[in-house]
Amino acid sequence: MADCIFCKIAAGEIPAQKVYEDDTVIAFKDLSPKAPIHVLIVPKKHIQSVAHFQAEDKELAAHIFVDVVPKLAADFGVDEAGFRLTINTGKDGGQTVPHLHVHFLAKRKMTWPPG
Ligand code: 5GP
Ligand code: ZN
């Protein structure tokens, strides 16, 4: 989608510190990290948010959580210690980039509730 920063990163038009990529997903370091490890897992297809998932996106959603997240956890060595996934959704959810992304945060003790 034109003027979408994460579409541009997925297309290689804007640089990012990539940590994972396959045909449908890219993961890269957050520009403003909130933890020692802070990666954004982003579908290459432009989907605005979780609220905009379509039935055709089931395989993609499963791929992110069943394949990509465990791989990143293993690669970063945090599968035992734990990590946090966050999906800010819409205005009240604190979403600032309107292209679906999963925050993968690790290597510090997280608190609850989130702000
Ligand atoms: P949201 O607030 O939408 O849940 O998360 C957006 C995230 O994208 C923020 O944590 C922000 O730091 C990150 N971000 C925004 N623009 C860029 C960028 O151009 N490159 C990278 N790597 N991260 C970005
Ligand atoms: Zn996009």
Side-chain angles (χ1 to χ4, degrees):
M1 182 190 235
D3 288 333
C4 171
I5 195 149
F6 287 176
C7 281
K8 287 182 177 166
I9 288 174
E13 293 165 12
I14 290 178
Q17 282 188 271
K18 198 167 46 176
V19 298
Y20 175 84
E21 182 170 16
D22 63 30
D23 287 349
T24 58
V25 174
I26 187 167
F28 50 87
K29 293 190 179 170
D30 196 293
L31 206 56
S32 175
K34 304 299 187 290
I37 293 173
H38 187 172
V39 165
L40 302 173
I41 305 168
V42 177
K44 290 185 173 177
K45 173 186 176 185
H46 183 88
I47 300 169
Q48 187 175 324
S49 78
V50 166
H52 296 79
F53 265 140
Q54 303 288 314
E56 69 198 28
D57 300 319
K58 272 183 190 168
E59 198 177 324
L60 174 61
H63 176 51
I64 288 171
F65 290 105
V66 175
D67 303 320
V68 179
V69 165
K71 176 174 170 42
L72 289 179
D75 288 353
F76 285 122
V78 297
D79 40 354
E80 291 300 322
F83 51 90
R84 177 169 291 176
L85 303 178
T86 301
I87 309 177
N88 297 326
T89 303
K91 188 163 58 72
D92 282 359
Q95 185 176 7
T96 59
V97 176
H99 179 136
L100 172 64
H101 49 283
V102 179
H103 294 259
F104 181 106
L105 300 129
K107 295 262 181 185
R108 74 165 165 83
K109 185 86 176 151
M110 305 294 163
T111 58
W112 192 262

